């Protein structure tokens, strides 16, 4: 049973969403501010966190920043309809996805399940060895999907589930252009809609992380109006 942390200062959302998730078979912990959630996470991390952005004591952005210092567990943001800037910033900071308020609880459940499936496939030692799960080496890049491990020039790089999947999709076929639609299919289930800006934000975050290992990292090329490609170095 996966444990979901739901963090929001709206008690109606905490009550209704937690009831829905529990009915779907999840174990749910609820918190009404970021600091309370962080205190609990320091004792035990959940399998996934669903965070509101605007909260008292510690907002969702600050909480995400603290989390990314020690874990790559999946994180989904809950955002208001006027929070477009916050959405992009949250994705660049390392959130895997966002859902706009007011939202369909069924949509939220589907996005949670999609991310957990990908996370479980990466860390499960029982996953069959396929092109998607075997260790891949491309120049300075080494990816081990079964251990969710990435290294560039021997230096470990911590990626979220979505970032890992996007890098893997690009690096599997160096020199081949992947459109944003193709990358969306890699990172999300067919029934989950995301826009181009979401993919762009994940790629920017991915590049930033790779440049922590190598400031000269330039293997991911943008082809404006077309998509992205991985150039083996």
């Amino acid at each position: 049973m996966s444990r979901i942390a739901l963090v929001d200062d709206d008690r109606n959302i905490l009550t209704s969403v937690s009831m829905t998730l529990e009915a779907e078979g999840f174990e749910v912990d609820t918190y009404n501010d970021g600091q309370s959630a962080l205190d609990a996470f320091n004792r035990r991390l959940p399998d996934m966190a669903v965070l509101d952005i605007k909260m008292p004591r510690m907002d969702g952005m600050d909480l995400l920043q603290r989390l990314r210092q020690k874990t790559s567990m999946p994180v989904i943001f809950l955002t208001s309809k006027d929070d477009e800037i916050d959405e992009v910033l949250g994705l660049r900071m390392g959130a895997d996805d966002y859902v706009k308020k007011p939202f369909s609880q069924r949509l939220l459940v589907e996005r949670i399940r999609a991310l957990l499936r990908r996370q479980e496939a990466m860390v499960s030692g029982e996953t069959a060895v396929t092109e998607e799960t075997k260790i891949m080496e491309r120049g300075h890049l080494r990816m081990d999907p079964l251990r969710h491990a990435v290294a560039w020039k021997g230096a470990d790089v911590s990626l979220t589930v979505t970032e890992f999947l996007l890098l893997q999709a690009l690096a599997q076929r160096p020199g081949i252009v992947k459109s944003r639609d193709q990358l969306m299919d890699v990172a999300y289930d067919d029934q989950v809609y995301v826009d181009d800006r979401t993919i762009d934000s994940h790629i920017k975050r991915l590049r930033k992380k790779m440049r922590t290992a190598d400031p000269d990292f330039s293997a991911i090329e943008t082809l404006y109006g077309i998509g992205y490609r991985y150039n083996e170095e």
Side-chain angles (χ1 to χ4, degrees):
M1 182 184 296
S2 297
R3 291 179 64 249
I4 309 298
L6 181 61
V7 191
D8 198 305
D9 61 339
D10 187 327
R11 293 190 178 278
N12 290 328
I13 288 179
L14 289 181
T15 300
S16 62
V17 174
S18 62
M19 289 177 63
T20 297
L21 293 178
E22 287 170 352
E24 293 290 330
F26 296 107
E27 181 180 344
V28 184
D29 296 325
T30 60
Y31 309 92
N32 57 19
D33 65 78
Q35 185 61 58
S36 297
L38 181 62
D39 292 343
F41 295 167
N42 285 333
R43 296 188 295 271
R44 180 188 180 191
L45 282 171
D47 298 301
M48 172 183 283
V50 179
L51 312 178
D52 187 26
I53 289 182
K54 295 185 169 95
M55 295 183 291
R57 298 183 68 199
M58 179 184 293
D59 65 22
M61 294 292 185
D62 287 340
L63 178 55
L64 175 64
Q65 189 172 29
R66 303 284 188 91
L67 287 175
R68 285 295 174 247
Q69 293 173 2
K70 61 180 180 179
T71 178
S72 60
M73 75 174 181
V75 171
I76 295 176
F77 264 138
L78 301 179
T79 70
S80 300
K81 62 182 180 180
D82 298 324
D83 285 343
E84 290 189 3
I85 294 177
D86 286 343
E87 290 166 4
V88 175
L89 179 58
L91 292 171
R92 289 180 182 175
M93 290 175 62
D96 291 281
D97 200 357
Y98 66 87
V99 176
K100 283 180 175 290
K101 297 179 179 179
F103 55 87
S104 159
Q105 294 198 23
R106 174 51 51 190
L107 173 63
L108 178 60
V109 169
E110 290 301 326
R111 294 197 177 186
I112 287 173
R113 289 195 185 282
L115 281 171
L116 287 174
R117 280 196 298 270
R118 284 154 175 74
Q119 178 85 335
E120 289 165 2
M122 287 180 181
V123 302
S124 173
E126 300 176 357
T127 304
V129 176
T130 65
E131 287 300 314
E132 286 71 35
T133 60
K134 70 181 182 181
I135 292 174
M136 176 174 62
E137 295 187 357
R138 297 286 186 271
H140 300 303
L141 176 68
R142 187 178 193 275
M143 301 187 73
D144 184 346
L146 296 182
R147 293 174 175 79
H148 191 69
V150 177
W152 178 263
K153 294 185 177 180
D156 293 336
V157 182
S158 177
L159 300 183
T160 66
V161 175
T162 305
E163 292 160 357
F164 190 101
L165 291 168
L166 293 175
L167 178 59
Q168 183 184 41
L170 290 168
Q172 278 176 339
R173 302 188 67 190
I176 302 299
V177 179
K178 291 278 190 179
S179 69
R180 288 172 177 81
D181 285 343
Q182 289 174 314
L183 293 174
M184 287 178 197
D185 290 341
V186 169
Y188 297 92
D189 280 357
D190 292 339
Q191 69 267 32
V192 177
Y193 170 78
V194 294
D195 58 24
D196 289 354
R197 186 182 63 228
T198 303
I199 297 298
D200 292 341
S201 294
H202 285 309
I203 293 293
K204 288 177 182 178
R205 176 70 179 177
L206 173 56
R207 283 188 178 127
K208 182 178 179 180
K209 288 187 175 182
M210 298 304 289
R211 285 170 182 158
T212 61
D214 177 9
D216 297 323
F217 175 84
S218 60
I220 299 175
E221 178 184 2
T222 302
L223 287 87
Y224 293 97
I226 303 175
Y228 297 92
R229 72 179 165 202
Y230 182 89
N231 296 315
E232 191 168 346
E233 297 185 357

